Amino acid sequence: RVKIEASRFNGREPDQHRWNIETGPLDSSSVRISWKPTRTLALQGSWAHLTDPEQLEPGVDQKRWSASALWADDVAVGWHAAATVAWGRKSSEGHNDDGLAAEASLRHAGWTFFGRGEMVENRELLGLVSSPEYRVGKISVGAVRDFPIAKRFSLGAGGLVAVNFVPHPLDALYGSADPIGTMCFIRLKLN
């Protein structure tokens, strides 16, 4: 029901040569505590210190925190619901940038209906070293229908609609204040 994990690792992002193994000192650390107080609820919190993680910002260390709650249960016969709420923070050079996300799904008779809302504070949207902080967000809703094709496999077809929320100074870069996106997809799922 309770788990504590700690790790020591090289926290640098990989270079453009993705086919080799990155080496370097084990100079970054993380700790996570997980707790499952009930059969349907799981909680976690974590902290990490990353030494010099970004190639474009040499010598700049980061601290990261996260916390989340996950819930899943049958809400009626043949109906299964799940929800997640998550928060994360990246701290670097005296700045704290937060991110929040909440998502939920409802599954019944081969259909899954889902939704997600997220908001993030970001200083990297313009690619400038001294970029101001911007808060961007997104809300998406969708559905997927799964069809069994073998004993352990199903094929799904679905789609979603998303509304993005962009600060007014970035309207020209994104085409409008609240761009709308859509997506159709097919997935192969191992049951």
Side-chain angles (χ1 to χ4, degrees), residues 21 38 73 152:
I21 297 174
T38 69
D73 202 1
R152 303 207 28 108

Side-chain angles (χ1 to χ4, degrees), residues 45-65:
S46 67
W47 168 89
H49 173 83
L50 287 84
T51 300
D52 195 19
E54 304 283 345
Q55 284 186 1
L56 298 178
E57 296 177 339
V60 178
D61 296 346
Q62 292 180 7
K63 286 191 175 27
R64 297 182 185 173
W65 291 264

Side-chain angles (χ1 to χ4, degrees), residues 101-118:
E103 61 185 18
S105 65
L106 182 63
R107 190 176 70 227
H108 177 70
W111 282 95
T112 302
F113 304 94
F114 57 87
R116 178 180 173 93
E118 55 192 287

Side-chain angles (χ1 to χ4, degrees), residues 83-102:
T84 300
V85 176
W87 164 83
R89 171 175 281 177
K90 178 175 79 172
S91 295
S92 179
E93 296 189 318
H95 300 291
N96 294 322
D97 296 325
D98 292 315
L100 297 168

Side-chain angles (χ1 to χ4, degrees), residues 15-91:
D15 59 21
Q16 67 275 17
H17 306 291
R18 301 301 171 132
W19 55 85
N20 64 348
I21 297 174
E22 301 293 327
T23 60
L26 303 179
D27 55 7
S28 299
S29 303
S30 68
V31 176
R32 177 184 4 248
I33 183 164
S34 304
W35 178 38
K36 192 168 181 192
T38 69
R39 176 187 63 81
T40 61
L41 181 64
L43 308 171
Q44 76 84 34
S46 67
W47 168 89
H49 173 83
L50 287 84
T51 300
D52 195 19
E54 304 283 345
Q55 284 186 1
L56 298 178
E57 296 177 339
V60 178
D61 296 346
Q62 292 180 7
K63 286 191 175 27
R64 297 182 185 173
W65 291 264
S66 76
S68 64
L70 292 81
W71 170 86
D73 202 1
D74 292 327
V75 292
V77 176
W79 292 83
H80 184 79
T84 300
V85 176
W87 164 83
R89 171 175 281 177
K90 178 175 79 172
S91 295

